[in-house]
Amino acid sequence: FKQWVGVELSAQNQRLLWVPPGFGHGFVVLSETADFLYKTTDYWYPEHDRNLAWNDPELAIAWPLKGLHLPGGQPSLAAKDAAAPRLAQAEVYE
């Protein structure tokens, strides 16, 4: 809880990343384009989807944004990600 791991995935290194059930995940695209595919253990149920603010200081994720061309200085986010709560306001499961 409140820990993160960063891994670079690319066509060159051909890595995959397994995210265990119940764990959060996020990504940043470091190239001009990217294909992002999910392989899941079950169907996606939108009612179970949860979000956290990508830049929550409590999580202190070191996103590799330095040197990227970011319009307005911020990453481009989906509307649901832009409106995501910080961890302190998020639902937490026991």
Side-chain angles (χ1 to χ4, degrees), residues 28-29 54 65-76:
V28 60
V29 175
W54 70 275
L65 302 178
K66 190 172 184 173
L68 295 181
H69 174 68
L70 302 173
Q74 293 293 314
S76 175

Side-chain angles (χ1 to χ4, degrees), residues 7-83:
V7 178
E8 186 169 337
L9 310 177
S10 70
Q12 291 75 29
N13 69 28
Q14 298 184 10
R15 289 177 153 183
L16 302 171
L17 181 65
W18 177 66
V19 180
F23 280 57
H25 66 278
F27 65 94
V28 60
V29 175
L30 303 174
S31 57
E32 287 293 316
T33 63
D35 292 323
F36 190 88
L37 304 171
Y38 289 95
K39 183 174 181 174
T40 62
T41 55
D42 202 348
Y43 292 100
W44 175 65
Y45 296 98
E47 64 271 20
H48 298 296
D49 197 23
R50 301 293 183 271
N51 289 22
L52 286 176
W54 70 275
N55 58 351
D56 186 340
E58 189 172 354
L59 300 175
I61 298 171
W63 294 98
L65 302 178
K66 190 172 184 173
L68 295 181
H69 174 68
L70 302 173
Q74 293 293 314
S76 175
L77 302 173
K80 69 176 190 164
D81 296 326

